[in-house]
Amino acid sequence: MEHCDGENDYMQPEDDWDRDMLLDPAWEKQQRKTFTAWCNSHLRKAGTQIENIEEDFRDGLKLMLLLEVISGERLAKPERGKMRVHKISNVNKALNFIASKGVKLVSIGAEEIVDGNAKMTLGMIWTIILRFAIQDISVEETSAKEGLLLWCQRKTAPYKNVNIQNFHISWKDGLGFCALIHRHRPELIDYGKLRKDDPMTNLNTAFDVAEKYLDIPKMLDAEDIVGTARPDEKAIMTYVSSFYHAFSGAQKAETAANRICKVLAVNQENEQLMEDYEKLASDLLEWIRRTIPWLENRLPENTMQAMQQKLEDFRDYRRLHKPPKVQEKCQLEINFNTLQTKLRLSNRPAFMPSEGRMVSDINNAWGGLEGAEKGYEEWLLNEIRRLERLDHLAEKFRQKAAIHEAWTEGKEELLQKRDYETASLSEIKALLKKHEAFESDLAAHQDRVEQIAAIAQELNELDYYDSPSVNARCQRICDQWDALGAMTMKRTEALQRTEKLLETIDELYLEFAKRAAPFNNWMEGAMEDLQDTFIVHTIEEIQGLSTAHEQFKATLPEADKERLAILGIQNEIAKIVQTYHVNMAGTNPYTTINPQEINAKWDKVRQLVPQRDQALIEEHARQQNNERLRRQFATQANVIGPWIQTKMEEIGRISIEMHGTLEDQLTHLRQYEKSIINYKPKIDQLEGDHQLIQEALIFDNKHTNYTMEHIRVGWEQLLTTIARTINEIENQILTRDAKGISQDQLNEFRASFNHFDRKRTGIMDADDFKTCLISMGYNLGENEFSRIMSVVDPNRMGIVTFQAFIDFMSRETADTDTADQVMASFKVLAGDKNYILADELRRELPPDQAEYCIARMAPYTGPDGVPGALDYMSFSTALYGESDL
């Protein structure tokens, strides 16, 4: 029962919340601070927090996250939209999750939370705190608020000046918080130094220690508690529940110890019960063994006085000796049953008494005692009756007649009542049960009537002097008895007839409820579906919705038949009520649905059907337009995409094939470039179609594999490729002219390059290049090849382009001619000397070229240590670097 009371407290209606907020607005500030800190203590586990409790929960996202953290369960996927409907949906998901945990949310709706209603938001958070932080607290068979209060009282009992009686003023001096911490962590607080008249220090000490060492966030300021006549109970409960959960481990250990002690105590109690049973059973059996022979003694006495003494002794036995034994026997059975129940609940073997001391053995012995007792009593009465029959028989008649007449008083009026005419079915059944009990009572009194008649007959046979009055009284009793029997039969028939009518109506009520409920659910589902918004992206999807809607409309005739059938049940009930004048009290007990509601919802469904038709038609037209846009885009994209690919392939072939001179190839490529640029309007037109598709919110197109992004990237690559290819040809022309390479040599270089470009990509990898050099007669070692690769691939990418290949081959071809030219130039400038001076260079060469050579010569020292005076080898090295020159 305590648990049920706790649940009632936990489901405290919101009226209390409203009243609290109206009494003291300062409590709202305390609740904001406490509830915000409590929420953040859980939200920080998910890496987030709130600043404003009514604002930060408005979109429902952090509210759902909070519930996931404190429950350890996953909620439905939240809506990420910013619209009000998305926020309401998220908050409803959170509220539904809270309701699924057995919480009855009174007057708290998603709209209030989304609108930032502070009172409703605080009420919702308080409900969450009660459910997840307080409800499950259980201490000594009390739970929730009472359990938490009892836990605080138990923990603070040893501390002076601490008297926890509630969750408001009992905590104002701060000693309660300090006592809780000291009880579990005495090293954190020097409790002896605390003073009851210094609440600010006490509260700040407790809050700071809890935050620093117990990971309990500071939910209130000391000023909030001290400065308020009556601190907010919900804020204090929330704060104290955090202390409870922080110390729950110690609590569980203490509970386990108490449980062990309790088990040991139960075992000791059970053993004591076993010993008590054995002793009590032995004593009772011994008393029965000694008593039965006394009761079985039938030796008659010769005098009335002696028989009266025997009767008095028997009465003493019944009055003084037997009642304690009856109590002992009852207590014995109670102890036995209690013991067996305790053993069963403790998963212990059942108690087996010693042989002959079972409850059944005691019952058998007691039955023998009662049998002997009954026989002894009958014998005594018969003996006394035999002596006093004439005096007592008349008195007995009067007594029985008086008792019977007292019993029959008012019975005729009761049987003639017509209370069943205005009774409900349950009341009729109750009247029938009551009448059946009366019939049983009537049958039980049959023996008394027969006894009265037998006594009267015996008095007549003994010629009792007042026989006429006895006979007259006996006749009245018999006549009245017959009349009661007839009226009882008549009332039975009336009650049964009324019950049958009401049962028929009740069955019709039940049938109405069974058929009305699913039909009502169907109508509500239909209204929901008909008003449900839909989002489709293809014409097939809208056609599917249209088909489903047509199928739904096809079910309407059958649904209307079901509606008429349900209304027919109600009409049949009305007909029975009118025909048999049944007084119906109340409405259908099995459902709150009525015919008016069914008709209203049916009319609503009929009204929504054409609206749904129109919405589907409009959406079908929109999807047809979208399909036209898809096909229009796909028709162009399916031409432009392959065209770009073809042009890319053609440019690649031009760059590697040897058709005409380099000038011819350059002319051809520029013509290609012009034709490609002339194709730009089609790209622009496709961009326009793509813009229309985006404006129509079309996200897929099954008619083409090309997207606008693919086309853009391909187009940009095409422009880049043709420009790069033209540049490569121009560079080849420059190289040819600078090196004096003939067209035939270029063709030969191209043929060699294409032959070893195995992948036909326009570049050779290092292995293909090495193979090419070997085929041309180069004797390559690893060092030599590395040197050559550093020349043709300075960026160390592991590839050789055709331009780098031409540069290398033209250099190799021209090396010999260059050496001769360098020697001739040196001799002209040096004259008769074997070295050249800087002034000679300035005199013979143009200024810019002379200074260039001088700058290159500066690091070198010529013959005889003259700075800048270079011999032939230093001259060639300064101009061309380390080479074979």
Side-chain angles (χ1 to χ4, degrees):
M1 293 300 293
E2 291 178 356
H3 180 68
C4 295
D5 292 340
E7 287 186 349
N8 291 336
D9 291 342
Y10 165 65
M11 300 303 291
Q12 194 77 24
E14 289 296 324
D15 295 342
D16 288 351
W17 182 273
D18 294 339
R19 184 170 62 253
D20 291 347
M21 294 302 292
L22 289 173
L23 285 174
D24 191 349
W27 287 0
E28 180 178 342
K29 176 184 177 183
Q30 297 179 26
Q31 290 169 3
R32 283 173 181 270
K33 184 178 297 183
T34 304
F35 293 178
T36 299
W38 184 87
C39 292
N40 284 334
S41 70
H42 294 284
L43 286 174
R44 69 183 181 185
K45 300 174 185 176
T48 186
Q49 65 176 11
I50 62 172
E51 299 295 337
N52 187 311
I53 197 166
E54 67 263 30
E55 289 295 326
D56 293 349
F57 285 140
R58 289 180 63 182
D59 61 0
L61 295 176
K62 288 190 177 180
L63 179 59
M64 295 178 69
L65 180 60
L66 174 64
L67 291 172
E68 288 183 345
V69 171
I70 62 179
S71 68
E73 299 177 22
R74 294 289 296 176
L75 273 68
K77 184 178 181 181
E79 300 285 348
R80 294 296 179 180
K82 302 297 183 180
M83 298 176 65
R84 177 180 174 82
V85 66
H86 299 139
K87 297 178 181 179
I88 292 176
S89 175
N90 289 335
V91 175
N92 273 326
K93 290 175 182 177
L95 295 180
N96 291 339
F97 177 80
I98 297 172
S100 71
K101 298 301 179 181
V103 179
K104 185 176 182 182
L105 295 168
V106 180
S107 304
I108 298 178
E111 290 79 5
E112 287 85 357
I113 305 302
V114 173
D115 291 338
N117 187 312
K119 183 178 69 174
M120 292 302 176
T121 303
L122 292 173
M124 176 189 67
I125 297 302
W126 173 240
T127 302
I128 293 172
I129 292 172
L130 280 177
R131 171 61 183 83
F132 293 98
I134 298 177
Q135 181 192 359
D136 294 333
I137 295 175
S138 178
V139 178
E140 297 184 13
E141 300 181 355
T142 63
S143 61
K145 177 181 179 181
E146 291 77 13
L148 182 59
L149 182 61
L150 181 59
W151 177 81
C152 295
Q153 292 169 341
R154 292 286 186 270
K155 295 300 180 182
T156 60
Y159 293 85
K160 63 179 180 179
N161 296 329
V162 178
N163 183 19
I164 304 301
Q165 297 297 327
N166 49 56
F167 287 107
H168 36 83
I169 61 175
S170 293
W171 302 86
K172 284 195 66 175
D173 59 8
L175 291 177
F177 289 105
C178 293
L180 288 178
I181 297 174
H182 186 265
R183 179 66 181 270
H184 294 90
R185 297 287 301 277
E187 76 279 7
L188 297 181
I189 290 180
D190 188 355
Y191 189 84
K193 293 183 178 180
L194 300 178
R195 303 199 319 272
K196 188 176 182 66
D197 59 353
D198 190 7
M200 290 292 291
T201 299
N202 299 338
L203 289 168
N204 283 323
T205 298
F207 295 167
D208 293 341
V209 168
E211 184 176 30
K212 183 175 181 181
Y213 296 103
L214 305 179
D215 198 27
I216 299 175
K218 191 172 184 180
M219 299 183 183
L220 284 172
D221 293 326
E223 294 80 4
D224 296 333
I225 298 177
V226 175
T228 305
R230 185 177 184 267
D232 178 61
E233 184 179 52
K234 297 176 178 63
I236 297 296
M237 282 182 66
T238 302
Y239 212 159
V240 173
S241 69
S242 298
F243 283 83
Y244 173 87
H245 291 292
F247 299 131
S248 60
Q251 178 69 26
K252 291 178 181 177
E254 183 178 345
T255 302
N258 292 338
R259 188 178 297 113
I260 293 172
C261 294
K262 187 175 181 181
V263 170
L264 293 175
V266 169
N267 290 341
Q268 293 174 347
E269 183 180 353
N270 291 342
E271 291 175 359
Q272 185 61 45
L273 286 174
M274 294 177 188
E275 294 177 4
D276 294 343
Y277 176 89
E278 290 285 343
K279 185 177 185 307
L280 192 59
S282 298
D283 294 343
L284 185 59
L285 288 171
E286 177 61 22
W287 178 82
I288 293 173
R289 183 187 65 77
R290 288 186 282 102
T291 304
I292 288 179
W294 175 70
L295 293 173
E296 291 177 345
N297 182 13
R298 298 293 190 272
L299 293 177
E301 299 294 337
N302 296 326
T303 64
M304 186 67 173
Q305 183 179 359
M307 289 302 298
Q308 287 286 0
Q309 184 60 45
K310 281 184 175 287
L311 181 60
E312 187 64 27
D313 293 341
F314 181 76
R315 288 173 177 169
D316 289 341
Y317 158 78
R318 294 287 299 272
R319 185 174 62 251
L320 301 176
H321 303 297
K322 186 180 178 183
K325 300 304 177 182
V326 172
Q327 184 64 32
E328 289 179 13
K329 178 178 179 295
C330 179
Q331 188 62 43
L332 191 69
E333 293 176 354
I334 291 173
N335 291 350
F336 182 83
N337 293 333
T338 301
L339 177 59
Q340 298 293 41
T341 300
K342 289 184 175 181
L343 291 173
R344 183 170 63 255
L345 293 176
S346 302
N347 293 323
R348 301 291 301 276
F351 170 61
M352 183 62 65
S354 303
E355 184 177 357
R357 296 176 183 173
M358 298 286 292
V359 173
S360 58
D361 297 330
I362 295 173
N363 287 335
N364 291 335
W366 190 267
L369 175 70
E370 290 187 332
E373 178 184 318
K374 182 178 181 182
Y376 188 69
E377 181 181 17
E378 290 175 355
W379 176 73
L380 285 175
L381 291 176
N382 286 335
E383 286 298 312
I384 293 175
R385 189 179 296 111
R386 180 176 60 82
L387 299 173
E388 298 182 336
R389 180 167 299 277
L390 290 177
D391 292 337
H392 295 166
L393 198 59
E395 182 63 24
K396 185 176 181 181
F397 174 82
R398 287 191 293 272
Q399 290 177 354
K400 289 185 176 293
I403 292 172
H404 178 77
E405 288 167 352
W407 178 83
T408 58
E409 185 177 356
K411 295 294 190 292
E412 292 182 1
E413 291 80 2
L414 177 66
L415 292 171
Q416 291 173 346
K417 288 177 66 176
R418 303 178 67 85
D419 49 356
Y420 52 82
E421 292 181 349
T422 59
S424 64
L425 179 59
S426 60
E427 292 170 340
I428 284 293
K429 291 185 179 294
L431 289 175
L432 273 170
K433 292 292 183 183
K434 185 176 180 181
H435 189 65
E436 290 172 0
F438 173 79
E439 289 179 325
S440 299
D441 196 18
L442 187 69
H445 282 76
Q446 178 69 32
D447 289 341
R448 180 175 291 143
V449 174
E450 292 175 356
Q451 289 175 8
I452 291 171
I455 293 172
Q457 179 64 30
E458 188 174 358
L459 287 173
N460 280 308
E461 290 175 356
L462 295 175
D463 295 326
Y464 181 60
Y465 74 93
D466 200 14
S467 292
S469 63
V470 170
N471 292 335
R473 191 174 184 182
C474 181
Q475 187 62 46
R476 288 196 303 274
I477 290 174
C478 291
D479 292 343
Q480 186 187 35
W481 184 258
D482 293 338
L484 287 174
M487 287 187 286
T488 298
M489 183 71 68
K490 183 177 179 181
R491 182 171 175 82
T492 299
E493 293 173 353
L495 288 172
Q496 290 176 345
R497 181 175 63 255
T498 304
E499 180 188 33
K500 186 175 181 181
L501 279 173
L502 293 180
E503 282 180 341
T504 301
I505 293 175
D506 189 70
E507 290 173 358
L508 290 172
Y509 270 150
L510 182 59
E511 178 65 18
F512 178 89
K514 286 181 178 179
R515 298 179 68 173
F519 185 70
N520 182 67
N521 291 338
W522 177 85
M523 288 193 296
E524 290 180 349
M527 289 190 291
E528 182 179 353
D529 292 341
L530 290 170
Q531 297 177 91
D532 187 22
T533 58
F534 51 82
I535 299 176
V536 296
H537 300 290
T538 64
I539 195 168
E540 289 79 6
E541 291 178 358
I542 191 61
Q543 288 174 347
L545 289 176
S546 298
T547 301
H549 183 61
E550 292 300 322
Q551 292 173 350
F552 167 76
K553 290 197 295 185
T555 64
L556 291 178
E558 285 298 323
D560 194 32
K561 290 181 181 178
E562 177 65 10
R563 179 182 67 87
L564 294 175
I566 294 171
L567 297 178
I569 296 173
Q570 186 68 28
N571 294 335
E572 187 175 351
I573 294 173
K575 182 178 180 182
I576 293 174
V577 171
Q578 183 178 3
T579 302
Y580 295 98
H581 306 288
V582 179
N583 186 4
M584 295 301 296
T587 57
N588 192 328
Y590 300 108
T591 181
T592 57
I593 303 171
N594 54 58
Q596 294 77 14
E597 183 179 354
I598 291 175
N599 285 330
K601 290 183 178 179
W602 176 256
D603 293 340
K604 181 65 174 178
V605 170
R606 300 287 295 179
Q607 177 185 355
L608 291 172
V609 168
Q611 297 177 9
R612 185 72 168 189
D613 288 335
Q614 183 61 32
L616 290 172
I617 290 172
E618 293 173 357
E619 182 60 26
H620 190 274
R622 191 175 75 85
Q623 289 302 325
Q624 283 181 328
N625 183 62
N626 290 351
E627 184 67 13
R628 179 186 63 78
L629 292 175
R630 287 190 183 94
R631 293 181 181 275
Q632 180 176 317
F633 178 85
T635 300
Q636 296 183 71
N638 288 337
V639 172
I640 293 173
W643 181 86
I644 291 174
Q645 184 64 31
T646 300
K647 292 301 178 183
M648 290 286 290
E649 293 172 356
E650 290 177 355
I651 293 170
R653 285 198 300 271
I654 290 173
S655 67
I656 63 175
E657 292 177 354
M658 298 174 294
H659 296 298
T661 65
L662 291 176
E663 286 76 6
D664 294 338
Q665 294 179 25
L666 183 61
T667 300
H668 194 187
L669 285 171
R670 284 176 173 162
Q671 291 174 351
Y672 258 82
E673 182 180 31
K674 183 177 180 181
S675 66
I676 290 170
I677 293 173
N678 291 338
Y679 204 78
K680 183 65 165 58
K682 294 185 178 181
I683 302 296
D684 295 338
Q685 182 180 358
L686 191 63
E687 285 281 6
D689 293 342
H690 178 66
Q691 179 67 25
L692 295 176
I693 285 178
Q694 286 187 321
E695 291 172 356
L697 299 179
I698 300 173
F699 303 108
D700 58 349
N701 193 340
K702 66 180 180 179
H703 303 297
T704 181
N705 293 326
Y706 294 100
T707 65
M708 195 64 229
E709 184 62 26
H710 292 154
I711 298 297
R712 291 192 192 104
V713 171
W715 175 252
E716 291 169 358
Q717 289 179 345
L718 179 60
L719 293 177
T720 301
T721 301
I722 187 65
R724 185 174 58 247
T725 305
I726 289 173
N727 180 256
E728 289 176 355
I729 297 299
E730 290 174 341
N731 288 337
Q732 290 174 26
I733 293 173
L734 290 175
T735 302
R736 181 198 64 189
D737 294 343
K739 300 295 184 177
I741 302 173
S742 67
Q743 185 63 43
D744 292 337
Q745 287 177 311
L746 281 176
N747 292 340
E748 182 180 350
F749 292 158
R750 169 57 74 180
S752 298
F753 186 88
N754 289 347
H755 177 76
F756 289 96
D757 178 14
R758 304 179 194 277
K759 299 177 183 178
R760 294 297 183 265
T761 58
I763 59 176
M764 284 191 292
D765 58 27
D767 291 337
D768 291 340
F769 180 58
K770 186 174 184 180
T771 304
C772 178
L773 293 178
I774 293 172
S775 69
M776 296 173 66
Y778 281 84
N779 185 14
L780 297 177
E782 289 297 329
N783 293 335
E784 178 62 15
F785 181 69
S786 297
R787 183 190 67 79
I788 295 174
M789 282 299 295
S790 68
V791 174
V792 299
D793 182 21
N795 296 325
R796 300 183 182 277
M797 298 176 62
I799 60 173
V800 180
T801 64
F802 182 62
Q803 183 63 41
F805 181 73
I806 292 176
D807 291 343
F808 172 75
M809 295 306 298
S810 62
R811 181 178 179 184
E812 289 295 307
T813 303
D815 276 350
T816 303
D817 295 338
T818 301
D820 294 341
Q821 293 172 4
V822 169
M823 177 58 76
S825 299
F826 178 81
K827 289 181 178 180
V828 170
L829 294 174
D832 295 334
K833 304 186 300 296
N834 59 355
Y835 59 86
I836 301 174
L837 298 176
D839 291 339
E840 293 173 335
L841 288 175
R842 290 190 180 97
R843 185 176 61 252
E844 298 297 333
L845 297 179
D848 55 343
Q849 295 179 4
E851 294 302 326
Y852 174 78
C853 290
I854 292 169
R856 297 289 300 274
M857 292 162 58
Y860 298 95
T861 301
D864 303 323
V866 179
L870 303 180
D871 59 12
Y872 169 71
M873 289 305 296
S874 298
F875 176 75
S876 63
T877 301
L879 291 180
Y880 296 98
E882 296 294 336
S883 69
D884 293 338
L885 293 176

